Amino acid sequence: MDTADLIVIGGTVRTGDAAKPVASAFAVSGGRISLVGSDDEVRALAGPDTEVRDLAGAAVVPGLIDVHNHHLLAGEAELYQLSISPTDSFADLVEAVRAYARDLDEDAWIVGEAFGSVLLDAFSRIDAREALDEASGGRPLALTDDSHHNRFANTRALELAGIGDDTPDPDGGSIVRDPRTGAPTGLLLESATIALTAAVDAGVGRSPERYRAASRRAIEILHSHGITAFQDAAATVEIMGALRDLDRDGELHAWVSSCMLSSGFLFANTPFGDELVERGEEFRTEHHRPDFVKVALDGVPPTLTAAFLSPYLDSPGHDHGHCGVTTMAPEELEDWLLRTAARGLGAKIHCTGDAAVRVALDAIEAVREAGYADILYQIAHGQFVHPDDRPRFASLSVAADISPYLWFPGVIPDAIAAVRGADDAQHMQPNRSLLDLGVNVTGGSDWPVSVSPNPWEGIQGLVTRSDPLGRAPGTLWPEQAVTLEEALSIFTINSARAMGLDDTVGSLAQGKSADFVVLTQDPFTVPVDRIIDTRAEETWFAGRRVFTRDE
């Protein structure tokens, strides 16, 4: 065997490879793992130019994988937008807008995220618009909620978006109105946000350089958490163009799978569906793979747009027995999945209600019966899955993309409880049941829906079913807890399989990309409530160090 470029010795290496789950050392040649074994075995590959890293007992895991995020949106928020915590009160939010506006030009847009779903009622009143008109100094204001399905616009932003008293609700969306006057309150649900997004796009001057900077910044943040591969769950021409251009210039230090939009969803002025799929191969590079489509099959429970098998709690503006509806008829979804399967494309299907999950599984079953046995499918979110449908994930080879981190108490579960009832909200994310049925359960942050993409927050939550950051008391359906070993697999090899990248990433094994993380502590040797303290000391991608905590 040739000498190695890098050898790593003296570690506790949790490889994620069932054939050799723990080792002390490994070697890297040409950006790939060339040997995993003992210190002595690996030292034999050292040559005069080999870099030797003695970890002095530090723990190492494979590069972590985020199977569901919106990386460029998160990077853009980090660089260019007002940051709002989902736990902020309405009064806190108003003061944050006022402070942010002070140094802006009088016509500058204020764009911010992400206010908590528990504030949707507050934003449904006309006095919210009036308060934010004053705080913004009359500047156009667009705020996004923590689900990223809904937005708020103040008076000036509504004008620029062309939304007035007589503007009809678009298909698949709602303009929330004052019950006395019919005037828009500023709260826009689902597809009603698209007009506002178009106005923001026109106002802030988005450019290829801005997209590229946002993508680069997001990946830097992911590296700081040990993430070396991810799936962008709603990719546009602009997002994929930024990834392609970064890779062509040698700046894309991550494996990326993109899910091309099947519908306009929450974006404006960009191709989707057949037009986008036709262009997908324009953006394929060594590290960027546009191998999936994204279907948003329903909305989100707090706005009563998720599709359920049983009714929501009674609420103003909705008939008794309202269950929500899917965005596509079953036959329409089946046709789309068959057509994209014929192109070799998998699909990530957003389903937050159990009725949407059933419609998705029925369509996937039709695709399997048509002979497409190897096409990859993921059902995203899956907070609610009817017990009858859980075994179908395994029998149909469908991965469960559990995202964001909703398997412990928090703001979004509280908002769901308000519309579905406490019992439903206490029985979310049946992760243990799915694993026991042989389902490939995978881990995603849905960042920036989750404030942070930190996988250890998700991992500890999976193990304890309690909030790792102590923001909310109690546990959420603790019977659905998983082991730490299972949780680590969820954020490594399981996610790699779901993305079709398991021949390249997800474990430290000979021939795979040398993506690994040196940790500040071994999570397997600390109390379970301190897993969250685990940090990336160093992150390596393809044999190159891309993050060091000291820097």
Side-chain angles (χ1 to χ4, degrees):
M1 188 176 290
D2 294 336
T3 58
D5 301 322
L6 167 71
I7 62 173
V8 179
I9 60 174
T12 301
V13 183
R14 302 189 184 278
T15 67
D17 179 8
K20 188 177 290 186
V22 181
S24 64
F26 57 92
V28 177
S29 300
R32 299 273 172 164
I33 301 292
S34 56
L35 181 66
V36 178
S38 67
D39 286 4
D40 288 343
E41 290 171 327
V42 170
R43 278 197 186 98
L45 298 184
D49 297 322
T50 299
E51 179 183 356
V52 180
R53 295 278 287 110
D54 189 337
L55 298 181
V60 175
V61 295
L64 299 168
I65 301 174
D66 188 339
V67 81
H68 189 131
N69 69 32
H70 303 275
H71 87 287
L72 191 142
L73 299 184
E76 187 175 43
E78 166 85 7
L79 292 175
Y80 306 114
Q81 297 179 8
L82 167 64
S83 177
I84 301 164
S85 170
T87 59
D88 283 349
S89 68
F90 183 76
D92 292 337
L93 186 151
V94 170
E95 290 310 308
V97 169
R98 180 176 287 111
Y100 189 82
R102 287 192 186 113
D103 298 326
L104 297 180
D105 293 340
E106 62 180 22
D107 293 326
W109 274 89
I110 302 171
V111 182
E113 58 181 60
F115 66 85
S117 297
V118 292
L119 295 182
L120 289 171
D121 282 346
F123 279 106
S124 298
R125 298 191 293 269
I126 203 75
D127 57 358
R129 175 152 66 89
E130 294 167 352
L132 286 163
D133 284 344
E134 184 275 327
S136 63
R139 298 170 181 85
L141 169 72
L143 303 177
T144 302
D145 80 339
D146 52 7
S147 76
H148 282 68
H149 280 240
N150 312 298
R151 303 187 81 175
F152 172 83
N154 70 351
T155 298
R156 180 60 179 145
L158 288 172
E159 291 170 354
L160 292 171
I163 298 172
D165 293 0
D166 299 325
T167 304
D169 287 349
D171 290 341
S174 299
I175 300 168
V176 177
R177 303 174 190 276
D178 182 87
R180 295 168 295 123
T181 67
T185 65
L187 182 60
L188 307 172
L189 306 182
E190 301 292 345
S191 66
T193 64
I194 292 176
L196 176 61
T197 301
V200 172
D201 287 350
V204 302
R206 289 190 170 111
S207 64
E209 292 74 22
R210 177 179 168 120
Y211 283 116
R212 182 166 165 158
S215 180
R216 183 190 297 111
R217 178 59 185 142
I219 294 169
E220 289 172 351
I221 294 170
L222 293 171
H223 286 159
S224 75
H225 293 292
I227 296 167
T228 55
F230 64 90
Q231 189 166 52
D232 192 289
T236 64
V237 163
E238 294 78 14
I239 292 169
M240 294 192 294
L243 291 164
R244 175 197 61 197
D245 294 347
L246 286 173
D247 207 17
R248 285 179 174 175
D249 290 345
E251 298 181 60
L252 180 56
H253 305 308
W255 300 95
V256 186
S257 169
S258 282
C259 303
M260 296 177 283
L261 288 175
S262 298
S263 63
F265 192 39
L266 307 179
F267 295 86
N269 306 316
T270 190
F272 57 85
D274 288 310
E275 183 180 358
L276 181 57
V277 165
E278 289 281 353
R279 296 185 58 184
E281 289 303 310
E282 293 179 26
F283 307 101
R284 186 178 298 278
T285 63
E286 180 183 2
H287 299 115
H288 174 235
R289 304 184 183 187
D291 289 340
F292 288 75
V293 295
K294 168 66 176 291
V295 178
L297 194 55
D298 65 352
V300 290
T303 55
L304 285 73
T305 52
F308 282 92
L309 296 169
S310 60
Y312 287 89
L313 301 179
D314 289 346
S315 63
H318 291 277
D319 295 335
H320 175 71
H322 173 73
C323 295
V325 296
T326 57
T327 61
M328 301 173 77
E331 61 273 14
E332 183 184 4
L333 176 63
E334 180 180 325
D335 175 70
W336 177 240
L337 295 186
L338 284 167
R339 287 192 290 119
T340 51
R343 291 177 171 270
L345 295 173
K348 182 189 290 287
I349 308 174
H350 164 117
C351 303
T352 61
D354 53 7
V357 171
R358 181 165 294 176
V359 169
L361 290 170
D362 289 347
I364 293 168
E365 185 171 13
V367 174
R368 298 294 189 221
E369 290 173 350
Y372 296 104
D374 298 327
I375 299 294
L376 297 174
Y377 290 105
Q378 306 167 14
I379 288 182
H381 309 307
Q383 294 100 316
F384 299 99
V385 182
H386 191 280
D388 291 348
D389 290 319
R390 294 171 195 168
R392 300 178 70 198
F393 278 75
S395 63
L396 295 171
S397 298
V398 177
D401 155 8
I402 54 171
S403 63
Y405 305 149
L406 293 183
W407 38 83
F408 49 78
V411 174
I412 293 179
D414 287 348
I416 292 173
V419 298
R420 292 295 308 172
D423 187 65
D424 268 15
Q426 275 293 317
H427 292 88
M428 294 169 52
Q429 299 283 176
N431 303 328
R432 172 81 270 152
S433 297
L434 291 172
L435 282 172
D436 289 345
L437 289 165
V439 178
N440 184 28
V441 176
T442 68
S445 66
D446 209 0
W447 184 50
V449 174
S450 286
V451 174
S452 167
N454 180 7
W456 298 104
E457 180 180 336
I459 288 170
Q460 180 171 313
L462 283 169
V463 174
T464 65
R465 301 287 293 204
S466 60
D467 182 3
L469 302 179
R471 298 161 298 189
T475 57
L476 184 66
W477 204 5
E479 294 82 1
Q480 294 296 327
V482 308
T483 68
L484 177 54
E485 184 176 9
E486 290 168 330
L488 184 58
S489 294
I490 284 170
F491 280 91
T492 51
I493 190 63
N494 292 13
S495 291
R497 290 193 188 103
M499 293 161 57
L501 291 174
D502 51 307
D503 60 341
T504 303
V505 300
S507 61
L508 295 173
Q510 188 171 3
K512 288 193 172 185
S513 184
D515 308 338
F516 60 94
V517 192
V518 182
L519 302 176
T520 57
Q521 65 177 18
D522 186 343
F524 287 85
T525 64
V526 300
V528 292
D529 63 350
R530 300 311 336 145
I531 293 170
I532 187 66
D533 296 332
T534 307
R535 299 286 186 272
E537 186 68 47
E538 298 176 1
T539 302
W540 292 67
F541 170 74
R544 292 168 289 168
R545 187 166 42 219
V546 292
F547 171 78
T548 303
R549 181 153 298 278
D550 289 344
E551 297 175 0

